[in-house]
């Protein structure tokens, strides 16, 4: 089963993808995570992407579809993939069709996480993760049980994404509205889109997605 999680920045795509990965053994393919890893490693792709990401703009279609294509050739993706943050443009949606068709795979569901945009900025600017195990937290909505200590691995080091500041978030939202939201009708016409209320609490969102996938 291959699915796309679609929604604006801060809608909860990454959170839900990690849960589906744990529950169903599917593989999460987050182009944002892959690009951040490339930036950190200083690869040519990372060097090209760094400034664009810092501004909240979109990295080129060929770069992101290239890294997705390479990843889809790794055997762990054969059991099912959750695309998180990809595709983000109509051109990427077309490239994804080709990448899947050439590997005899299909797209089964597009889950749209519907959210109230005003709430998104607050969600994003307060979020951070454990630097050691990646568990996600939030200044207001999801604090660790003991302040400054990760619930999962007890690490005391945390990190924030450099693009999770208000100005960049606004640009990312605009990019979503202008370039990503228009791909929904393409998938809607194929009957693939299911809408989930992304403002509900995290467990409810997971249950709603699981119910769609179990139909
Ligand atoms: P994300 O972690 O999905 O919020 O992505 C962080 C940043 O990486 C975005 O603001 C873009 O600059 C870049 N990025 C991630 N995925 C894509 C994509 N599919 N197409 C273009 N740029 C992307």
């Amino acid at each position: 089963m291959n699915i796309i999680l679609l929604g604006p920045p801060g809608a909860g795509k990454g959170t839900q993808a990690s849960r589906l990965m744990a529950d169903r053994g599917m593989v999460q393919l987050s182009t944002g995570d892959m690009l951040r890893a490339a930036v950190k490693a200083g690869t040519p792709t990372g060097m090209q992407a760094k400034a664009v990401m810092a501004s909240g703009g979109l990295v080129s279609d060929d770069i992101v579809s290239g890294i997705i294509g390479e990843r889809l050739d790794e055997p762990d993706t054969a059991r099912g993939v959750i695309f998180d943050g990809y595709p983000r443009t109509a051109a990427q949606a077309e490239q994804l069709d080709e990448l899947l068709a050439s590997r005899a795979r299909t797209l089964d569901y597009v889950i749209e996480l519907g959210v109230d945009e005003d709430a998104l900025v607050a969600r994003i600017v307060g979020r951070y993760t454990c630097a050691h195990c990646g568990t996600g937290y939030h200044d207001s909505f999801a604090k660790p049980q003991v302040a400054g200590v990760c619930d999962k691995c007890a690490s005391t080091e945390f990190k924030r994404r450099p693009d999770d500041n208000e100005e960049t978030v606004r640009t990312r939202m605009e990019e979503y509205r202008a370039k990503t939201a228009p791909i929904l009708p393409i998938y809607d016409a194929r009957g693939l889109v299911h809408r989930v209320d992304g403002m509900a609490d995290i467990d409810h969102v997971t249950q709603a997605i699981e119910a769609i996938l179990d139909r």
Side-chain angles (χ1 to χ4, degrees):
M1 185 189 290
N2 298 303
I3 68 173
I4 294 173
L5 292 182
L6 206 70
K13 301 183 296 289
T15 302
Q16 296 301 330
S18 325
R19 289 178 159 219
L20 292 173
M21 196 162 65
D23 295 350
R24 296 184 172 246
M26 296 172 80
V27 174
Q28 172 187 13
L29 296 194
S30 156
T31 40
D33 285 350
M34 293 180 207
L35 290 168
R36 279 185 286 280
V39 170
K40 197 170 169 197
T43 66
T45 299
M47 287 194 281
Q48 259 179 288
K50 190 174 180 179
V52 181
M53 291 173 74
S55 73
L58 292 184
V59 174
S60 90
D61 295 329
D62 290 340
I63 289 184
V64 289
S65 292
I67 56 179
I68 287 285
E70 279 174 24
R71 191 64 186 81
L72 285 175
D73 285 333
E74 289 174 35
D76 64 326
T77 62
R79 282 186 56 194
V81 167
I82 308 153
F83 295 101
D84 159 12
Y86 176 89
R88 256 180 162 93
T89 64
Q92 290 177 27
E94 264 176 45
Q95 288 167 331
L96 177 60
D97 282 343
E98 285 159 24
L99 290 171
L100 291 174
S102 61
R103 290 164 179 79
R105 299 190 206 172
T106 51
L107 184 61
D108 301 289
Y109 296 97
V110 175
I111 312 275
E112 182 197 4
L113 294 172
V115 276
D116 161 11
E117 274 201 24
D118 291 337
L120 290 181
V121 176
R123 268 196 194 182
I124 293 179
V125 297
R127 71 185 181 181
Y128 60 97
T129 54
C130 170
H132 183 64
C133 73
T135 297
Y137 294 99
H138 192 282
D139 293 327
S140 313
F141 313 132
K143 300 178 187 177
Q145 275 159 12
V146 177
V149 182
C150 176
D151 294 345
K152 224 180 213 165
C153 74
S155 164
T156 53
E157 277 179 54
F158 297 88
K159 59 182 183 182
R160 287 176 196 264
R161 283 171 47 172
D163 59 346
D164 277 352
N165 61 78
E166 186 156 351
E167 194 190 333
T168 308
V169 169
R170 299 264 177 219
T171 308
R172 286 157 64 199
M173 301 273 183
E174 277 160 32
E175 290 285 62
Y176 179 81
R177 260 196 302 269
K179 297 178 184 157
T180 309
I183 67 181
L184 268 164
I186 301 173
Y187 292 126
D188 225 355
R190 294 191 216 162
L192 293 176
V193 178
H194 296 259
R195 294 189 171 79
V196 167
D197 175 13
M199 296 309 294
D201 72 58
I202 295 177
D203 289 341
H204 281 106
V205 178
T206 308
Q207 282 164 17
I209 296 174
E210 299 272 9
I212 293 164
L213 304 185
D214 286 337
R215 263 181 214 164

